[in-house]
């Protein structure tokens, strides 16, 4: 076994980051940290406490006060907010839109950054998000930028919501994905962007197993000390 790596998976919503980080973490015996779920918890707590989504200072103190933990329930990852299982509550379309606003505040990002660094610093982790390879762990040994077309990402999100019994419109879901990505990419602090040394994978036409195989090749190459697929490559 090589040394324990920090693996960053960034990319827009619906590209398959959660599925792939889970598969990769399971394959390597690593811990999976879903940083989007952490921001989603802050947004849910803000709504429950009637905090104005434009009040960065109040949201920052709230974020710093929350206890967010991940637990495995069989194959499922459960998200615990102050001990309560909020795995479903954080994934409604309303909370998704709210999260995009909440995560734009610098004070919120600083509170989350501290927690994420604490969780990941020992290595042996797969972290997924928008700014892992650029801001949270720029020193990560393996960085992926997972992408897919907006239409495909919207379709996947729609299927996911449908499977959970939520009745949503396909076109509306695609539009929401696009709106959220535009906001996540345009924000001032830690916007969604590709690290220069990230390996880009376009997953539009690839299945989970194919993407996982590509990722495992890169991980193996890094463990062997080779740069392998170089950053910036398509
Ligand atoms: O990955 P996700 O769709 O669950 O993320 C929810 C929101 O959180 C998304 O709008 C972007 C934001 N986010 C972020 O700003 N930084 C991260 N590292 C992860 C997510």
């Amino acid at each position: 076994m090589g040394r324990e790596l920090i693996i960053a998976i960034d990319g827009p919503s619906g590209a398959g980051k959660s599925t792939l980080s889970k598969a990769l973490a399971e394959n390597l015996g690593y811990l999976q940290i879903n940083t989007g779920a952490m921001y989603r918890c802050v947004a849910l707590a803000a709504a429950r406490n009637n905090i104005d989504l434009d009040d960065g200072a109040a949201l920052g103190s709230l974020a710093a006060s929350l206890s967010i933990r991940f637990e495995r329930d069989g194959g499922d990852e459960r998200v615990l907010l102050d001990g309560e299982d909020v795995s479903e509550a954080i994934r409604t379309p309303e909370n998704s839109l709210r999260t995009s606003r909440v995560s734009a505040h610098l004070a919120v990002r600083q509170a989350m950054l501290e927690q994420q660094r604490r969780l990941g610093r020992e290595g042996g982790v797969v972290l997924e998000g928008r700014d892992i390879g650029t801001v949270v762990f720029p020193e990560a040994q393996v960085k992926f930028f997972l992408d897919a077309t907006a239409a495909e990402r919207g379709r996947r999100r729609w299927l996911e919501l449908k499977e959970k019994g939520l009745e949503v419109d396909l076109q509306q879901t695609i539009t929401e994905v696009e709106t959220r990505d535009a906001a996540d990419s345009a924000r001032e602090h830690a916007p969604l962007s590709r690290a220069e040394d990230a390996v880009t994978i376009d997953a539009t036409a690839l299945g989970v197993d194919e993407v996982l195989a590509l990722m495992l090749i890169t991980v193996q190459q890094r463990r062997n000390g080779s740069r392998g697929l170089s950053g910036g490559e398509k």
Side-chain angles (χ1 to χ4, degrees), residues 35-36 39-40 99 103 109 129-131 157 180 184 187:
T35 65
Y39 285 102
R40 286 172 179 272
T99 307
S103 63
R109 302 207 70 84
R130 304 293 189 287
D131 60 341
R157 189 62 101 202
R180 209 141 64 79
D184 294 340
R187 70 173 176 233

Side-chain angles (χ1 to χ4, degrees), residues 52-67:
D52 181 350
L53 299 186
D54 290 323
D55 188 344
L59 291 168
S61 334
L62 173 75
S65 75
L66 300 176
S67 151

Side-chain angles (χ1 to χ4, degrees), residues 104-175:
H105 293 286
L106 184 60
V108 172
R109 302 207 70 84
Q110 277 168 339
M112 290 295 102
L113 182 73
E114 272 178 37
Q115 294 203 27
Q116 290 159 12
R117 286 198 177 144
R118 210 171 35 241
L119 290 167
R121 68 183 165 207
E122 306 293 339
V125 283
V126 180
L127 293 112
E128 61 162 294
R130 304 293 189 287
D131 60 341
I132 309 302
T134 49
V135 177
V136 184
F137 283 110
E139 72 277 28
Q141 296 90 346
V142 184
K143 299 181 187 177
F144 294 109
F145 192 83
L146 193 57
D147 208 352
T149 60
E152 176 60 15
R153 293 184 291 108
R155 193 187 66 83
R156 290 180 191 176
R157 189 62 101 202
W158 174 75
L159 276 175
E160 214 175 272
L161 292 169
K162 239 173 79 137
E163 272 167 23
K164 287 184 182 148
L166 293 166
E167 272 312 312
V168 284
D169 179 67
L170 172 61
Q171 193 49 52
Q172 190 189 330
T173 311
I174 294 175
T175 307

